[in-house]
Amino acid sequence: MVGSSHEAMHRIFQKDPTLLTRALQRVLHVPFPEPRRIAALNVDLTEIEPVERRVDTLLRAETDEGTYLFVIESQGKVDDRKRGSWPYYLSYLYEKYRCEPVLIVVTQNSATAKWASRPIRLGFRDWHSLTVRPLVLGPDNVPVIADEQAAVRDVPIAVLSAMTHGRGRQAPAILESLATALRTIDDETAAVFVQFVDSCLADPQAKQMWRDLMTATQYFWRHPLAEQVREEGREEGRAEAKAEMILHMLQWRGIEVPDAARERVTACTDLDQLEVWAQRAMRAEDAAELFEGE
């Protein structure tokens, strides 16, 4: 089980290595050649001397233009020790594998992304013996995927979007779109992606909303969160969970829910009707908009 957002932010690229090349091409606009094959490598960079160095994720990509090493680092905050460790990683890996290393930093924090994107220059001020220029994926360049069709077209990118942007007023649309898109892929991959997103949602309200979505859906994920779902496998249980999700969503968006509206939602057992209200809850300005035209 993924234990932290740090782990999820880099392990998603182990689960779907092709996501990395799409992120390079579409997000960072780096003209990286299409790989013929991508393989995970041992992340331990420890030498014979007792100095332990480990990268978060290490992938080898074979292309028509050569073989590259993707060094993926998940970074939660500014850490100036990386000024020494990142150049070391790249030099060591080049010496060991004799192919070009590429450093990619992933983060959920804009300030950390800005810091990480600064070149690391070692040497004289006007003559640098070594320059390291990390490529950074963060909230300022990872696209916000809040449209169901866009999420379905590229589910891993939608997962990365939710992991990076799953907070604030845009979170309901992002998470709802991803929940729909996950139904279009295989169960095992979906279960892993659900866990990645759950690990990265630091906002308690966003995490609760995500778990509400996973509980309310009729698609059962095979991961620890699914135990709650299986216990509510009857239609009545799913309707109750869906109603709770709608009320959570309105509350999270700061919309007051009168007692009459709350009772109407909780009393409903029609899953199709609840789905209509759930869609409206993502964009409603007040609770009354849930029932417009009814």
Side-chain angles (χ1 to χ4, degrees), residues 189-234:
T189 300
V192 174
F193 285 162
V194 168
Q195 195 176 332
F196 284 159
V197 174
D198 188 76
S199 298
C200 285
L201 293 174
D203 185 332
Q205 290 180 311
K207 186 182 287 287
Q208 183 59 53
M209 179 186 176
W210 180 241
R211 292 186 173 184
D212 287 342
L213 284 167
M214 294 301 97
T215 301
T217 184
Q218 298 182 50
Y219 188 92
F220 296 165
W221 313 110
R222 290 185 288 137
H223 68 103
L225 296 179
E227 295 304 318
Q228 308 169 47
V229 182
R230 293 188 183 99
E231 291 173 4
E232 297 177 347
R234 304 183 311 276

Side-chain angles (χ1 to χ4, degrees), residues 7-256:
E7 289 297 302
M9 289 298 288
H10 70 86
R11 282 176 57 181
I12 186 175
F13 298 105
Q14 296 177 17
K15 179 61 181 173
D16 185 354
T18 63
L19 169 62
L20 187 57
T21 56
R22 294 201 303 280
L24 287 174
Q25 295 164 354
R26 302 178 191 178
V27 178
L28 298 175
H29 306 294
V30 174
F32 189 82
E34 199 65 34
R36 296 191 305 272
R37 179 174 178 271
I38 299 181
L41 302 178
N42 191 335
V43 299
D44 192 346
L45 309 186
T46 306
E47 299 184 83
I48 297 176
E49 297 295 326
V51 178
E52 184 176 335
R53 303 282 192 179
R54 290 181 183 271
V55 297
D56 288 331
T57 287
L58 181 61
L59 303 174
R60 178 167 57 197
E62 298 175 3
T63 77
D64 291 336
E65 298 178 16
T67 301
Y68 298 86
L69 297 177
F70 288 134
V71 183
I72 304 170
E73 286 281 278
S74 175
Q75 194 68 27
K77 60 183 180 180
V78 173
D79 183 356
D80 286 331
R81 291 175 301 176
K82 298 298 184 181
R83 177 177 169 84
S85 59
W86 284 345
Y88 169 86
Y89 295 164
L90 301 183
S91 299
Y92 175 86
L93 289 168
Y94 179 78
E95 178 62 22
K96 181 176 182 178
Y97 292 101
R98 288 295 167 175
C99 49
E100 302 294 339
V102 180
L103 175 61
I104 298 163
V105 180
V106 289
T107 181
Q108 296 173 286
N109 184 276
S110 292
T112 303
K114 184 177 180 180
W115 162 80
S117 64
R118 296 171 185 163
I120 299 171
R121 297 186 174 95
L122 304 180
F124 295 117
R125 183 179 62 181
D126 297 323
W127 189 272
H128 303 117
S129 299
L130 178 65
T131 300
V132 174
R133 298 177 60 196
L135 292 166
V136 181
L137 292 169
D140 296 327
N141 56 15
V142 171
V144 174
I145 307 295
D147 175 75
E148 289 182 4
Q149 292 184 348
V152 169
R153 281 196 298 271
D154 195 332
V155 177
I157 284 285
V159 173
L160 185 62
S161 174
M163 292 164 63
T164 307
H165 300 289
R167 67 191 73 181
R169 292 181 63 86
Q170 60 193 350
I174 294 173
L175 299 179
E176 179 77 20
S177 298
L178 177 58
T180 299
L182 287 173
R183 301 174 193 175
T184 67
I185 63 176
D186 67 276
D187 295 5
E188 182 179 353
T189 300
V192 174
F193 285 162
V194 168
Q195 195 176 332
F196 284 159
V197 174
D198 188 76
S199 298
C200 285
L201 293 174
D203 185 332
Q205 290 180 311
K207 186 182 287 287
Q208 183 59 53
M209 179 186 176
W210 180 241
R211 292 186 173 184
D212 287 342
L213 284 167
M214 294 301 97
T215 301
T217 184
Q218 298 182 50
Y219 188 92
F220 296 165
W221 313 110
R222 290 185 288 137
H223 68 103
L225 296 179
E227 295 304 318
Q228 308 169 47
V229 182
R230 293 188 183 99
E231 291 173 4
E232 297 177 347
R234 304 183 311 276
E235 184 169 327
E236 180 182 351
R238 295 200 300 272
E240 181 181 347
K242 194 83 167 181
E244 290 178 1
M245 180 200 71
I246 293 168
L247 297 175
H248 273 305
M249 194 179 300
L250 292 172
Q251 180 183 16
W252 185 47
R253 296 184 61 221
I255 296 174
E256 183 178 354

